[in-house]
Amino acid sequence: MPHCDVVIVGAGVIGSSIAYHLGKRGMRSVVVERESIGTRASGKAWAVIPYPQKSIAEAISRQNPAAAGTPEGSRADGWHDLVASSYQRMPDLALDIAERGGVDIEYGESLHTLLLTEKEVDEKGQDEMLAPYRQAGAIETGWLDTHQLRDVFPSLHPKWVAGITSPQGQVEPYKYTLGLAQSAECLGALVKQGEAVGFAMQGDRITGLKLLSGELLEAAHFVIAAGPWSRALASHLGVDVPMLTIMAECIRVSLPTGLPFQTLEAGDYWIIPKVNGEVILSAYEGSASRREDFNDSLTEALKLKTVSECLEILPALEEAELVEHRGDLLALTSMSMEKPTLGRLPEWENGYLATHFGGTGILMSPAAGELMAELIVTGQPPLRAAQMFARLAPPG
């Protein structure tokens, strides 16, 4: 194996992004993956990149900032910059991955439409319902009246009479993760199959990653980016990383005539047309269930309910053909927020952790990978993200 500067455990979207950004800074990494690139949750996500101001507006409208992950009642959460920066960077990243890694990640920009009933519109009215978005600075958010909504979706269920629209990006999750990894390889990284089982240590430094095969991978820096499996790995370093493991699921379908390229959200359910013509159906919160035993089996009842509820939103889905019922395990700090953990491990000079992204790994991955690479290369959190790193620091 060639000399490397950094060993990264996990070839999901976060580990691959870190390797890619390290490569752009001239550092060689080895990414260790127990299975293969994007096999787990990173390759099975919805893979939408929401308009950053949308989450702030939703927190304002609920008058409950904590529900959107905002600390101590503040309006903007301590990791919002990860979302905003990634949202702006994704178009250029898609071009670079296509050129460097040879993968079309199927990036696309569409509208996301929050559907509203007549009762909701009558109770509040357009101005009041748009007020939180204006307060959040969501200048790209707009309104669709009944006629505009029907022009796009003629078969929409009659109870939906208006919509609030915001821009939204998306990628194909497996191709995006693979593209990052292949681009990293073009920049000098190596993706290596193997199961990490521990570390070699000397003083306050990690000197090697132990594999089940008996091999020891030596490097100057070590990053744990293994999703729900990060806790077990960190425990070998004496670090307890509290972890809530959940299973999130979605349905992938195809239609003979496709759908307009516009996401629909109604209640807890989302209908997401993809660039390739397929459609993702899922519940936002209802698709997630706790799986502390690491059971990754899919839920048949959830699949049937998701399809049934989405048919109530858009009856045209009656013609859809099931392509895949998919899902995987995610790591969260708690069920109430998807607050990532990002930074240097306490008491270890050259150990780092990047986990707890839950369902937000893809949308945060460009900025998370870039900032982690900068932290590793320079040894200090960049000034533009110093307070954010303080809030997202691993426990210690």
Side-chain angles (χ1 to χ4, degrees):
M1 190 190 76
H3 166 76
C4 71
D5 301 298
V6 185
V7 168
I8 301 167
V9 185
V13 70
I14 298 299
S16 297
S17 180
I18 295 170
Y20 165 79
H21 286 92
L22 283 169
K24 294 192 77 174
R25 287 176 166 270
M27 294 192 77
R28 298 172 63 87
S29 59
V30 171
V31 185
V32 178
E33 172 56 47
R34 183 177 56 185
E35 298 175 58
S36 58
I37 299 167
T39 299
R40 305 297 309 211
S42 293
K44 303 171 184 176
W46 299 8
V48 294
I49 304 109
Y51 183 43
Q53 283 72 22
K54 180 176 176 287
S55 62
I56 299 177
E58 290 170 346
I60 294 170
S61 66
R62 288 194 298 266
Q63 295 184 335
N64 180 16
T70 59
E72 301 170 3
S74 62
R75 197 185 84 176
D77 59 53
W79 51 98
H80 182 262
D81 282 356
L82 286 175
V83 178
S85 176
S86 296
Y87 174 84
Q88 297 295 340
R89 286 194 55 213
M90 192 62 82
D92 287 338
L93 185 56
L95 293 174
D96 191 61
I97 289 174
E99 181 178 348
R100 194 188 302 271
V103 180
D104 176 6
I105 67 172
E106 298 180 11
Y107 174 76
E109 295 180 359
S110 65
L111 289 178
H112 169 281
T113 300
L114 173 63
L115 296 172
L116 305 169
T117 63
E118 185 174 7
K119 180 181 178 182
E120 290 172 316
V121 175
D122 288 343
E123 286 180 350
K124 291 187 176 182
Q126 178 178 338
D127 290 342
E128 184 177 344
M129 299 192 84
L130 287 177
Y133 296 88
R134 302 294 177 249
Q135 188 177 345
I139 61 172
E140 300 297 339
T141 295
W143 182 269
L144 290 181
D145 61 25
T146 299
H147 297 297
Q148 293 168 320
L149 200 54
R150 303 292 159 189
D151 283 344
V152 182
F153 290 98
S155 68
L156 195 65
H157 192 284
K159 72 178 178 180
W160 308 112
V161 302
I164 296 174
T165 66
S166 300
Q168 174 183 274
Q170 61 164 266
V171 297
E172 199 290 315
Y174 172 72
K175 289 182 177 180
Y176 173 54
T177 306
L178 176 66
L180 280 171
Q182 289 189 178
S183 298
E185 288 179 309
C186 291
L187 291 164
L190 171 68
V191 179
K192 179 181 177 64
Q193 188 171 30
E195 184 174 352
V197 294
F199 296 91
M201 299 157 278
Q202 185 174 354
D204 61 356
R205 292 188 61 83
I206 305 167
T207 57
L209 176 72
K210 299 176 181 178
L211 302 185
L212 184 62
S213 64
E215 188 174 359
L216 181 69
L217 303 182
E218 298 178 320
H221 306 273
F222 297 83
V223 182
I224 299 173
W229 295 272
S230 297
R231 184 178 193 178
L233 282 169
S235 69
H236 292 289
L237 299 170
V239 180
D240 181 27
V241 180
M243 191 77 72
L244 178 63
T245 304
I246 68 166
M247 180 75 178
E249 305 175 46
C250 65
I251 314 296
R252 187 161 62 101
V253 302
S254 64
L255 285 88
T257 57
L259 288 178
F261 190 44
Q262 186 164 328
T263 294
L264 296 176
E265 176 188 354
D268 192 38
Y269 291 88
W270 289 46
I271 300 171
I272 310 169
K274 303 295 285 185
V275 168
N276 63 11
E278 293 180 333
V279 180
I280 299 294
L281 312 177
S282 189
Y284 185 68
E285 294 181 354
S287 68
S289 59
R290 297 186 66 161
R291 300 285 179 92
E292 295 301 327
D293 56 356
F294 281 76
N295 172 15
D296 61 359
S297 61
L298 298 168
T299 312
E300 184 68 16
L302 175 60
K303 180 184 77 172
L304 297 175
K305 181 172 175 57
T306 298
V307 172
S308 175
E309 292 290 342
C310 289
L311 277 168
E312 287 295 314
I313 300 168
L314 192 64
L317 289 171
E318 184 71 42
E319 301 178 6
E321 178 182 344
L322 178 67
V323 176
E324 181 186 21
H325 176 198
R326 69 189 190 194
D328 211 334
L329 301 172
L330 303 172
L332 293 175
T333 50
S334 73
M335 288 297 286
S336 64
M337 67 176 71
E338 292 179 321
K339 175 186 176 182
T341 298
L342 204 65
R344 193 192 310 273
L345 284 165
E347 300 181 9
W348 294 100
E349 184 181 336
N350 62 337
Y352 306 84
L353 181 67
T355 190
H356 288 143
F357 285 86
T360 65
I362 284 180
L363 73 95
M364 292 188 184
S365 58
E370 180 183 34
L371 291 171
M372 281 295 291
E374 191 168 342
L375 172 64
I376 293 168
V377 171
T378 67
Q380 297 292 331
L383 287 176
R384 67 185 184 282
Q387 296 304 314
M388 184 178 67
F389 267 111
R391 290 188 177 190
L392 303 184

